[in-house]
Amino acid sequence: MNHYKHILLAVDFFEQCEIVINRATDLANRYQAKLSVIHVVDSLPITDAGYGADIPFNLDLTAELMASAKKRLAELAKKLAITEDRQWLEMGSPKTEIIRVATENQVDLIVIGSHGRHGLALLLGSTANGVLHYAPCDVLAVRLQDN
Ligand code: AMP
């Protein structure tokens, strides 16, 4: 069996993400694999006239979100000894960005939670589902309990 060489941990910083983090680090140790981490700041919706008044895209808020996400990601990366070139902070759709970064960086295993913020009503949350469908490599969806 081939060993995994490059594992991508997708972290949403929601409750239970520690379980996903622990599983990814454990696998990286077992396989002596490179470990990268990604966090995606969900892009804010820009409404069109169909919804009534336009809501302007708030650049200050976006910059603030990115800055605090960067800090959280850097703290986690430090704890896991992940160097800067293996930290991915992206903005957009989480599933799209996770797939893109995995594809562009020859990732051979993506580790995600079975659901985070979105998925309580579903067996798999929306990000988990999208990643499973479109990933270019294996995906481990770590089973998280509903609470
Ligand atoms: P969801 O399908 O959105 O409920 O989330 C399932 C899993 O996808 C989470 O446990 C994370 O591993 C990953 N995920 C969700 N949102 C993000 C995000 N914004 N950035 C990185 N990973 C995410």
Side-chain angles (χ1 to χ4, degrees):
M1 196 186 87
N2 285 341
H3 285 192
Y4 293 116
K5 294 190 180 70
H6 190 185
I7 296 174
L8 179 64
L9 160 65
V11 68
D12 58 7
F13 295 115
F14 277 89
E15 233 179 291
Q16 301 197 76
C17 74
E18 203 65 32
I19 297 171
V20 184
I21 294 167
N22 290 343
R23 185 60 59 87
T25 50
D26 178 54
L27 285 168
N29 287 337
R30 278 170 201 255
Y31 287 107
Q32 297 289 293
K34 201 159 79 167
L35 181 63
S36 294
V37 63
I38 181 168
H39 175 69
V40 184
V41 175
D42 254 310
S43 40
L44 297 174
I46 306 173
T47 62
D48 58 25
Y51 288 94
D54 283 341
I55 298 172
F57 191 68
N58 188 329
L59 288 178
D60 284 349
L61 178 60
T62 306
E64 233 172 76
L65 278 174
M66 285 300 269
S68 77
K70 189 171 181 187
K71 194 161 162 255
R72 296 268 328 248
L73 189 64
E75 281 164 10
L76 174 66
K78 189 173 175 203
K79 203 168 117 196
L80 303 181
I82 295 177
T83 51
E84 229 170 283
D85 57 323
R86 289 186 281 120
Q87 300 170 28
W88 303 95
L89 176 63
E90 305 298 330
M91 174 170 279
S93 145
K95 61 175 176 277
T96 306
E97 291 306 307
I98 292 167
I99 299 286
R100 184 182 62 75
V101 166
T103 306
E104 289 176 2
N105 293 280
Q106 290 82 43
V107 164
D108 49 12
L109 177 67
I110 299 171
V111 179
I112 52 177
S114 56
H115 58 255
R117 177 181 40 148
H118 303 118
L120 294 184
L122 302 165
L123 179 60
L124 289 172
S126 55
T127 308
N129 230 327
V131 170
L132 271 170
H133 274 94
Y134 297 107
C137 60
D138 289 358
V139 178
L140 174 64
V142 179
R143 187 77 177 93
L144 301 175
Q145 299 300 318
D146 292 354
N147 49 18

